[in-house]
């Protein structure tokens, strides 16, 4: 078996809980990320989620494949994910959310790919692709994080919106994150949950 | 000389004894000088010309701490909050269907009524009062 590893470090002007919210929001994938077709939650609780994703095959985008993700919130600032994706490649990722100031977060993502048999041949391509893929996801997610931070600092409440009076639109308190994120039964990601 | 209603309100607020202040307010009300609610502020949003060309213009206003979409639907101007009540996402306006669709999670709102079209929720998009003066659309706010 060959293991390839890459570490990506990013800093962003949002609180750690907002950065983490983006990680645990499965519903945005199909609307925000290129190549994502659908995500279905099979199971979730306050620390764990099991997801099936349907994605487009890179380059041959008319073809689709499914991948299985298991995500665990180890603690407030560390989440881990394991997935089996395209061509049966198994990956494990760590997501560390470190507060480096008020509404400033450093995110350290460690990607590890476990390659077996003929998949070892994919190592050089995967190594190059990881950072490109990670950068693209980051760019697509960044506007969500920044706007979410802005509205949360204005006292936004999920499923309700901003406070009625402009005078009440401020919030200096810590921004909480409670898992699982609330979802409507009609959400596309809830289609197969039992 | 008569004082403006706003200055009357300030005068009564200076009394530390609320009973004195109340009785003063009562007598002022009898005299037609009762404190009036503050007049609505006007904030320029966009011109009608610009809106006719683009059908929808979305701008953030620090004065009201909200993002407001001005839309032209069936020839009528509509102003609504452009912050999705789900998780705070931003909208894309679909002129043919008169829908604001959230870019984050696909929630769709009727521009005319503010109601969500693809999910059952207990809230709708906030509407803003406005006036059109010399071809400019002004948001009216507290």
């Amino acid at each position: 078996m060959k293991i390839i590893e890459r570490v990506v470090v990013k800093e962003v002007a949002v609180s750690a809980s907002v950065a983490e919210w983006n990680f645990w929001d499965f519903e945005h994938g199909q609307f925000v990320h290129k190549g994502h077709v659908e995500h279905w939650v099979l199971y979730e609780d306050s620390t764990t989620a099991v997801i099936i994703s349907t994605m487009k095959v890179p380059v041959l985008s008319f073809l689709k494949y499914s991948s299985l993700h298991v995500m665990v919130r180890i603690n407030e600032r560390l989440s881990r994910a394991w997935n089996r994706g395209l061509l049966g490649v198994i990956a494990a990722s760590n997501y560390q959310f470190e507060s480096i100031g008020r509404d400033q977060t450093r995110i350290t993502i460690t990607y590890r790919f476990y390659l077996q048999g003929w998949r070892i041949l994919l190592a050089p391509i995967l190594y190059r692709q990881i950072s490109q893929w990670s950068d693209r996801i980051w760019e697509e997610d960044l506007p969500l994080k920044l706007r979410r931070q802005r509205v949360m600092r204005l006292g936004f409440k999920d499923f309700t919106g901003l406070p009625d009076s402009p005078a009440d639109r401020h919030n200096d308190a810590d921004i909480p994150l409670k898992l699982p994120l609330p979802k409507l039964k009609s959400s596309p990601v809830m289609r197969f949950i039992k | 000389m008569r004082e403006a209603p706003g200055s009357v309100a300030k005068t009564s607020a200076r009394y530390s004894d609320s009973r004195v202040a109340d009785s003063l307010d009562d007598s002022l009300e009898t005299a037609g000088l009762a404190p009036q609610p503050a007049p609505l502020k006007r904030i320029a949003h966009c011109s009608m010309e610009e809106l006719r060309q683009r059908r929808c213009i979305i701008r953030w206003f620090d004065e009201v701490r909200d993002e407001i979409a001005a839309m032209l639907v069936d020839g009528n101007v509509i102003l609504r909050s452009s912050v999705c009540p789900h998780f705070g996402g931003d909208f894309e306006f679909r002129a043919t269907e008169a829908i604001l669709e959230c870019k984050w999670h696909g929630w769709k709102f009727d521009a005319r009524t503010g109601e969500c079209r693809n999910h059952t929720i207990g809230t709708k998009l906030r509407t803003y009062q406005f006036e059109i003066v010399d071809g400019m659309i002004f948001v009216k706010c507290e």
Side-chain angles (χ1 to χ4, degrees):
Chain A
M1 182 189 291
K2 187 178 175 68
I3 300 171
I4 55 171
E5 183 178 299
R6 278 206 97 150
V7 179
V8 176
V9 181
K10 303 276 190 188
E11 290 182 4
V12 60
V14 303
S15 62
S17 61
V18 166
E20 212 188 345
W21 165 85
N22 181 230
F23 175 75
W24 285 96
D25 173 31
F26 320 122
E27 292 183 280
H28 78 272
Q30 70 184 81
F31 298 99
V32 172
H33 297 304
K34 283 177 198 150
H36 290 219
V37 180
E38 277 174 313
H39 299 277
W40 298 325
V41 178
L42 296 186
Y43 174 79
E44 64 177 343
D45 62 24
S46 61
T47 58
T48 308
V50 181
I51 315 285
I52 291 182
S53 298
T54 306
M55 320 276 279
K56 289 179 185 169
V57 175
V59 186
L60 308 169
S61 59
F62 57 92
L63 295 175
K64 292 170 191 165
Y65 70 96
S66 290
S67 61
L68 180 70
H69 308 266
V70 177
M71 298 162 64
V72 177
R73 192 189 201 201
I74 306 295
N75 59 45
E76 264 195 355
R77 297 296 169 241
L78 175 66
S79 291
R80 286 185 172 162
W82 296 266
N83 78 291
R84 189 175 187 278
L86 185 61
L87 304 175
V89 172
I90 293 168
S93 329
N94 281 4
Y95 295 80
Q96 234 170 330
F97 303 95
E98 181 192 355
S99 182
I100 52 170
R102 183 176 156 81
D103 298 344
Q104 292 283 336
T105 300
R106 180 180 298 127
I107 305 167
T108 306
I109 310 169
T110 307
Y111 298 101
R112 220 170 269 129
F113 285 76
Y114 299 86
L115 305 173
Q116 283 178 303
W118 63 270
R119 294 179 188 88
I120 291 171
L121 299 172
L122 299 171
I125 302 169
L126 271 176
Y127 189 78
R128 263 201 319 273
Q129 286 299 313
I130 293 168
S131 63
Q132 283 180 24
W133 169 80
S134 180
D135 284 349
R136 185 172 55 77
I137 294 284
W138 177 264
E139 291 301 321
E140 289 169 351
D141 275 336
L142 186 59
L144 278 71
K145 291 188 186 85
L146 296 174
R147 184 178 170 99
R148 173 76 175 173
Q149 178 69 34
R150 184 179 204 176
V151 298
M152 293 307 282
R153 281 278 166 251
L154 294 173
F156 182 90
K157 299 274 184 243
D158 295 342
F159 295 89
T160 303
L162 293 170
D164 284 335
S165 168
D168 296 332
R169 291 177 195 159
H170 58 84
N171 172 31
D172 290 328
D174 286 348
I175 298 168
L177 178 77
K178 196 174 169 217
L179 299 179
L181 297 182
K183 293 173 197 68
L184 295 175
K185 283 182 181 166
S186 55
S187 166
V189 302
M190 301 297 272
R191 201 165 141 195
F192 294 110
I193 200 158
K194 295 286 179 201
Chain B
M1 197 173 87
R2 272 186 153 193
E3 288 182 273
S7 59
V8 172
K10 279 179 194 165
T11 307
S12 66
R14 277 205 295 268
Y15 287 86
S16 56
D17 185 331
S18 62
R19 285 170 302 174
V20 175
D22 286 348
S23 67
L24 180 64
D25 282 346
D26 288 346
S27 51
L28 288 171
E29 198 170 340
T30 313
L33 292 171
Q36 300 293 312
L40 293 178
K41 279 189 289 189
R42 290 191 332 180
I43 310 163
H45 190 296
C46 59
S47 69
M48 278 301 295
E49 176 74 31
E50 208 181 352
L51 190 60
R52 274 190 206 100
Q53 284 170 9
R54 291 169 52 187
R55 307 291 294 275
C56 176
I57 296 171
I58 299 174
R59 288 200 176 132
W60 185 271
F61 293 92
D62 284 334
E63 296 90 336
V64 287
R65 295 173 179 166
D66 199 355
E67 191 177 57
I68 301 174
M71 296 162 283
L72 197 59
V73 177
D74 306 328
N76 299 315
V77 176
I78 300 170
L79 264 62
R80 292 199 178 278
S81 171
S82 182
V83 176
C84 181
H86 177 211
F87 281 156
D90 50 336
F91 290 120
E92 191 171 344
F93 181 60
R94 303 202 179 283
T96 49
E97 305 158 88
I99 276 177
L100 285 162
E101 182 173 355
C102 180
K103 295 176 189 173
W104 293 6
H105 303 103
W107 283 33
K108 294 176 182 174
F109 291 86
D110 190 314
R112 298 180 187 91
T113 63
E115 287 170 358
C116 188
R117 279 207 191 163
N118 57 342
H119 295 290
T120 308
I121 56 166
T123 185
K124 53 186 191 175
L125 295 181
R126 180 177 294 111
T127 186
Y128 280 91
Q129 290 181 290
F130 65 94
E131 59 187 7
I132 302 170
V133 180
D134 296 333
M136 277 298 293
I137 300 168
F138 290 90
V139 183
K140 291 163 84 175
C141 56
E142 291 170 25

